[in-house]
Amino acid sequence: MEEALERIARLDPELCAFIEVWGEAAAAQETSPGLPLAGLPFGVKGPSGIRSYSARRLIAAGAVPVGSTAVPGPGTYWQTWGLGAHGRTVNPWRPDRTPGGSSAGSAVAVAAGMVDLATGSDGAGSVRIPAAWCGVFGLKTTNGLLPSPDRTGLASAGVMTRTAADARAYLACVLDGYAEVPLRFPLRARWSPDLGFARTEPEVESVTLAAVERLVSAGVVRLDERPFALLDPKDAWQAVRRGEPSAGSAPRAENDRRLGALFAQAQLLLTPATPNRPHGHEGPGELYSTALTWAFNLSGHPAASIPAGFTSDGCPVGLQLVAARDADVSLLEMAVAMERHTIMVRP
């Protein structure tokens, strides 16, 4: 706890990952040494994060919240940034770039080693995008698996940790009946650089494809070489967010059909987590960083981002893993196995 609070005090004025830090309360917190997460410092997403189901379960397991992490502030319509107590949240790898969002501060706090774990929520990619752009692990759970205040059903609870293995403690505490699932290798997987519609940057595609090829070479993954495509979910997602789900029901149903057919034969769908690298603080322009993530908020499938490498200008890139609905534990174990072979090498 002392180390976490010292790092927050030293690093946060520059990185701006936290809205509030509860240093005195955290330092004074007493927990039973018999609890599974006794004394573990963690961050909670946003001003209301302490009331979330995940935070309450972590506290019950002995973990200690040290502060609320930055989320998008007023004055912008995009959600790929954060506003902390000291100013705008910056990417710890490239301060001139955004960390992603909306779980911006959570990703930065983990990436900078201020906490080992931070909660998030993901309604369009809000865990996976900042995890990818900050070079950490991020998990979006199956929609509806854990309680969520989002009435549209798009958002689900998530977590960010330094490695996929570190997320086991989170899932074990928030998920009733958690039990590790044995895996048989190679994992059956499909690869898509763009899901048939996204304008993925060539270098982002190259970095993620190289990570996939390392997994194939290591015998972790066996690829089905057939291309895979979905219908662009943009209009359907926006219709659901507006409270008009029937307006996007046809493309949503077709994507559900295609995903159902895929997961009847494969264990994983692999894509870049984002089609682009982190943009500057002035905003994304016409780019949709959510292009490869929000389809799975509509479909409800669990999805994760693991570090895959760097672009030539020093920006982290994430590889997205998507699994069948309710296969959250299996997905996490797949990520643990795969992450050993997707080692990030900074140029």
Side-chain angles (χ1 to χ4, degrees), residues 69-245:
T69 58
V71 292
T76 182
Y77 63 89
W78 65 85
Q79 298 293 299
T80 52
W81 75 307
L83 184 64
H86 301 285
R88 70 184 181 192
T89 311
V90 303
N91 192 306
W93 296 98
R94 284 284 305 259
D96 62 326
R97 307 289 177 91
T98 177
S102 61
S103 306
S106 288
V108 173
V110 170
M114 290 188 264
V115 292
D116 293 327
L117 181 155
T119 64
S121 58
D122 190 315
S126 292
V127 165
R128 290 161 286 164
I129 293 169
W133 286 356
C134 291
V136 299
F137 174 75
L139 172 69
K140 176 197 89 71
T141 56
T142 297
N143 291 44
L145 182 69
L146 302 174
S148 170
D150 181 16
R151 295 181 179 179
T152 68
L154 292 171
S156 58
V159 67
M160 276 164 278
T161 53
R162 295 186 198 181
T163 69
D166 292 338
R168 283 172 170 152
Y170 166 86
L171 207 57
C173 289
V174 302
L175 185 60
D176 291 332
Y178 171 89
E180 290 190 15
V181 176
L183 299 177
R184 295 182 63 182
F185 299 96
L187 302 169
R188 304 183 309 278
R190 298 279 289 274
W191 156 254
S192 177
D194 55 13
L195 290 178
F197 57 83
R199 294 179 295 167
T200 303
E201 290 183 17
E203 192 172 5
V204 170
E205 178 178 343
S206 176
V207 170
T208 48
L209 179 57
V212 172
E213 290 173 342
R214 292 196 296 274
L215 293 169
V216 172
S217 297
V220 178
V221 162
R222 182 177 69 245
L223 280 185
D224 181 333
E225 299 289 350
R226 291 175 296 169
F228 180 75
L230 294 174
L231 301 179
D232 189 340
K234 173 187 169 183
D235 292 341
W237 187 95
Q238 292 178 339
V240 173
R241 179 56 74 188
R242 290 194 306 269
E244 304 170 359

